[in-house]
Amino acid sequence: MIGTVYKSTGSWYTVKTDDGVFYDCRIKGKFRLKGIKSTNPIAVGDRVSFDLEKSGDETNATITEIKDRKNYIVRKSVNLSKQTHIIAANLDQVFLMITLNNPQTFTSFIDRFLVTAEAYGIPAVLLFNKIDSYDEDELLDVKYLAALYRSIGYTCVGISAKTGKNVDKVKEMMTGKISMFSGHSGVGKSTLVNTIDKELNIKTKEISEQHMQGQHTTTFAEMYDLDFGAQIIDTPGIRGFGIVDMEKEEIGDYFPEFFALKSECKFNNCLHIDEPKCAVKDALENDEVAWSRYKSYVQMITGEEENYRQDIYGD
Ligand code: GDP
Ligand code: ZN
């Protein structure tokens, strides 16, 4: 049988078949040794094959194979730098929720998030939330930012999770896909999910209450079905988007507007810093590349790694 992992506790995996039946599966011992170096071999979102075996009154379900992942996001332990935990796999898109204030989302945070999404190969959508609460000047700021990121190729939508404004557009983008929501604490992620699906919120609450009562203090990602035919992956306690190990030389490739100009730079390994005849710097001088984007880029390659890590995790 084939299905998708909806929940993982580390020893049990809840798998949903394409016919909509849930099975609690275990993995074979040797499975743990295979694959990439991570603390967990299977993550929420994984497509797996599993066998059913009767023993007495019980039916045991055992996962026998993980299908190739189209992408996956990880969390790295900062202390044990070799330990990787796969948070989720096979995401169709990630929504970054942004607010101008309460809390403020800086462009450096947005840009780092987008670079990570590019490196993971996951399409990112920017949701500018709380537009019901902004004055005219703030709305102009949202318009400016949305126009900037649209010009680079990202879908941007101004929404109000509170009033429901443009939430239908978000639902439309989510339909038939697996999505994840990211952003600083307080930007309105829970409010949006609640506006999208009231029942789901109750469910999440129950689960977190169970968590409060004990057994597991570790939080695991979980996938939820929404009634209009969409899935979301909830990653409790992880508001950011993980990190990817990147070489200095490849960071520029994850700024799509820089990457598009790269072939016009004199040097094919141009870092767009102080090289002569750099197409990115020329475009910057001509206001064809945004200074905020270039600033984020320079910050990233001159790299205060620790700050970068904290930043990505938000909060
Ligand atoms: P989360 O930490 O990202 O899950 O944020 P919450 O959903 O808990 O929202 C944080 C606060 O922002 C709450 O007081 C919400 O009522 C408020 N909030 C969320 N969305 C909106 C919105 O669209 N407009 C306004 N004015 N407030 C909002
Ligand atoms: Zn260059």
Side-chain angles (χ1 to χ4, degrees):
M1 304 184 88
I2 294 176
T4 302
V5 177
Y6 269 59
K7 191 179 175 178
S8 122
T9 62
S11 49
W12 284 96
Y13 300 88
T14 306
V15 178
K16 186 185 178 189
T17 65
D18 296 341
D19 297 335
V21 184
F22 285 94
Y23 291 90
D24 280 332
C25 300
R26 284 193 184 275
I27 52 173
K28 285 186 190 144
K30 65 173 182 186
F31 227 101
R32 297 175 177 276
L33 303 172
K34 280 207 295 188
I36 51 166
K37 217 175 178 184
S38 69
T39 51
N40 56 333
I42 299 176
V44 167
D46 266 328
R47 295 280 294 168
V48 296
S49 301
F50 62 97
D51 287 341
L52 295 180
E53 221 179 291
K54 275 224 180 305
S55 93
D57 290 346
E58 288 187 9
T59 305
N60 294 318
T62 311
I63 293 172
T64 55
E65 190 195 358
I66 314 175
K67 308 285 177 197
D68 286 342
R69 297 175 173 130
K70 76 173 172 190
N71 58 52
Y72 61 93
I73 63 174
V74 302
R75 179 178 53 193
K76 265 211 172 138
S77 157
V78 176
N79 299 326
L80 308 159
S81 58
K82 291 266 149 48
Q83 292 279 65
T84 297
H85 179 82
I86 305 171
I87 299 167
N90 299 322
L91 288 158
D92 290 309
Q93 62 193 344
V94 58
F95 291 96
L96 178 62
M97 289 186 72
I98 295 163
T99 50
L100 292 187
N101 44 51
N102 300 313
Q104 182 172 11
T105 307
F106 290 98
T107 50
S108 57
F109 178 80
I110 299 173
D111 295 334
R112 281 172 170 166
F113 181 90
L114 292 175
V115 163
T116 312
E118 294 288 342
Y120 279 134
I122 304 173
V125 174
L126 304 187
L127 300 179
F128 293 89
N129 191 31
K130 308 197 186 182
I131 53 169
D132 61 285
S133 71
Y134 296 148
D135 64 23
E136 267 177 44
D137 282 348
E138 289 167 329
L139 285 174
L140 282 177
D141 287 344
V142 169
K143 275 203 172 136
Y144 168 82
L145 285 174
L148 162 60
Y149 287 103
R150 269 187 206 120
S151 75
I152 300 164
Y154 297 107
T155 301
C156 298
V157 189
I159 66 164
S160 170
K162 196 170 181 174
T163 67
K165 172 99 177 161
N166 285 342
V167 168
D168 53 335
K169 288 188 183 163
V170 179
K171 286 173 80 168
E172 203 177 296
M173 286 188 278
M174 291 175 72
T175 304
K177 292 184 174 165
I178 300 175
S179 306
M180 190 181 124
F181 290 91
S182 287
H184 288 310
S185 178
V187 292
K189 296 181 294 295
S190 322
T191 308
L192 178 63
V193 170
N194 188 37
T195 303
I196 286 172
D197 190 321
K198 293 212 156 47
E199 315 243 321
L200 181 73
N201 199 44
I202 294 164
K203 211 171 146 198
T204 346
K205 260 207 190 113
E206 278 171 6
I207 285 159
S208 58
E209 273 159 20
Q210 275 173 18
H211 271 293
M212 300 289 278
Q213 284 164 18
Q215 333 143 334
H216 274 280
T217 43
T218 329
T219 46
F220 284 91
E222 186 164 353
M223 180 133 75
Y224 296 97
D225 286 322
L226 304 182
D227 54 11
F228 59 96
Q231 278 90 38
I232 59 166
I233 291 184
D234 184 30
T235 54
I238 306 162
R239 297 221 156 77
F241 194 24
I243 45 169
V244 189
D245 283 324
M246 275 177 273
E247 298 296 331
K248 218 180 197 178
E249 290 70 27
E250 62 182 316
I251 295 175
D253 295 350
Y254 300 132
F255 283 74
E257 74 275 42
F258 296 10
F259 184 67
L261 291 166
K262 197 180 176 182
S263 63
E264 293 167 37
C265 294
K266 184 175 183 208
F267 298 107
N268 63 8
N269 59 350
C270 186
L271 279 177
H272 324 305
I273 297 293
D274 46 20
E275 295 90 341
K277 299 210 170 119
C278 166
V280 171
K281 293 208 77 173
D282 287 348
L284 184 67
E285 297 299 335
N286 296 331
D287 286 332
E288 288 155 11
V289 155
W291 279 95
S292 63
R293 293 278 288 169
Y294 188 71
K295 198 174 143 200
S296 298
Y297 170 71
V298 174
Q299 275 173 7
M300 285 187 75
I301 66 161
T302 55
E304 284 149 41
E305 181 68 9
E306 284 311 306
N307 288 345
Y308 169 44
R309 286 179 184 222
Q310 281 164 18
D311 227 311
I312 282 290
Y313 287 125
D315 305 329

